Amino acid sequence: MRKNVIAGNWKMNKTLSEAEDFIEATKTKIPSSDKAEAIVCAPALYLTELVKRTEGTDLKIAAQTMHYEENGAFTGEISPAALKSVGVEYAVIGHSERREYYNETDETVNKKTHAAFKYGITPIVCIGETLEEREADKTNEVVGGQVEKALEGLSADQVSNLILAYEPVWAIGTGKTATAQQANEVCAFIRNVVKEKVSAEAAEGVRIQYGGSVKPANVDELLSESDIDGALVGGASLEADSFLALVEAGSK
Ligand SMILES: O=C[C@H](O)COP(=O)(O)O
């Protein structure tokens, strides 16, 4: 059985003290469960401190992005080696905001995914269509193409261990959630792409989260769908109580 992944993506929110308060309020309340893992994707500046504070707990810390090179002249960037050196275990790769504002492409997403595995970091690879693409009936074409390119050159074993996050761009931060059925249809399609392009075992193992206006009020319905294995949550992950409610739902 696949374990749900409940990940709170704070994006560019919280000061250090707000981040510390959140972690102190949640880290001992994460149910130790074989049904879910709980992750906070924090601003890079706080990763070292938050990893230290969560040591020995069931709350894990992720980076929101990373570079694909080990080191070099890339001012302002953070390498997978640097993330690994401070104990970060997961990294979000190719979030639609990175694709839109920072020139992230399917090619860089693929390079970063390879680099994450090289350094023992679990990649959370984001994919999803825009409203325009959905309305033009291109959802499967767009999402299928993103998945195929993201996974290029990975072993079946690596694919089994990665996390894909299906986030329709039109549902992010808009309050418009895809219905559970709409979300599941695309997640099932993605799993089928993995089956065809990689292997049946990889398709069975890969976790596929849904993201886009997930909150405690709609998470149960989304998680009850067969091909949705968790949630990548922005706004509703910023408050400790709300994040804990989401994790609780994933652990049932
Ligand atoms: O990474 C999280 C997603 O972009 C969803 O954000 P949201 O829950 O605020 O819609």
Side-chain angles (χ1 to χ4, degrees):
M1 202 189 65
R2 293 183 295 269
K3 215 173 176 183
N4 281 325
V5 187
I6 306 296
N9 178 11
W10 287 352
K11 307 190 180 182
M12 197 178 71
N13 291 293
K14 294 194 186 294
T15 61
L16 176 59
S17 66
E18 287 166 352
E20 288 170 340
D21 289 350
F22 179 106
I23 294 299
E24 294 308 319
T26 54
K27 68 180 185 185
T28 57
K29 295 189 183 151
I30 304 296
S32 197
S33 154
D34 55 359
K35 293 207 173 139
E37 56 200 84
I39 304 171
V40 162
C41 314
L45 197 55
Y46 313 146
L47 291 172
T48 306
E49 178 61 26
L50 302 192
V51 166
K52 278 190 198 148
R53 283 180 184 250
T54 51
E55 254 165 23
T57 76
D58 288 306
L59 183 57
K60 306 294 172 200
I61 303 298
Q64 296 177 5
T65 185
M66 54 168 240
H67 203 275
Y68 50 81
E69 292 288 354
E70 180 179 325
N71 50 41
F74 299 100
T75 302
E77 288 287 341
I78 297 178
S79 76
L83 292 177
K84 192 66 188 170
S85 75
V86 299
V88 169
E89 294 175 66
Y90 302 80
V92 178
I93 291 175
H95 190 281
S96 63
E97 289 148 16
R98 302 287 315 174
R99 291 178 189 254
E100 185 177 355
Y101 306 129
Y102 302 99
N103 300 323
E104 194 85 80
T105 63
D106 288 335
E107 194 190 346
T108 59
V109 167
N110 178 254
K111 284 184 177 175
K112 290 180 180 195
T113 306
H114 278 274
F117 277 120
K118 183 171 171 198
Y119 286 92
I121 293 167
T122 301
I124 301 176
V125 177
C126 302
I127 57 215
E129 82 287 3
T130 62
L131 184 58
E132 213 180 10
E133 289 161 342
R134 175 162 280 260
E135 285 176 347
D137 242 350
K138 289 192 171 154
T139 300
N140 287 1
E141 186 187 321
V142 170
V143 172
Q146 289 172 334
V147 173
E148 229 178 282
K149 285 178 201 141
L151 305 187
E152 226 165 65
L154 295 175
S155 69
D157 196 43
Q158 287 173 325
V159 176
S160 301
N161 286 305
L162 66 70
I163 300 165
L164 289 168
Y166 167 56
E167 299 205 308
V169 178
W170 50 271
I172 297 176
T174 58
K176 285 187 198 156
T177 324
T179 63
Q181 194 197 343
Q182 273 175 328
N184 194 56
E185 263 168 28
V186 183
C187 291
F189 168 77
I190 292 168
R191 199 174 301 286
N192 203 45
V193 172
V194 174
K195 188 175 170 188
E196 280 177 5
K197 300 289 168 191
V198 187
S199 72
E201 290 72 25
E204 203 37 55
V206 66
R207 267 98 53 85
I208 308 176
Q209 300 174 297
Y210 167 76
S213 299
V214 177
K215 42 188 181 286
N218 60 19
V219 70
D220 283 332
E221 201 188 347
L222 288 159
L223 295 183
S224 70
E225 295 288 343
S226 57
D227 283 291
I228 301 179
D229 310 314
L232 181 58
V233 187
S237 74
L238 292 171
E239 296 298 328
D241 287 351
S242 169
F243 177 70
L244 287 170
L246 294 164
V247 174
E248 183 75 43
S251 312
K252 278 191 226 156

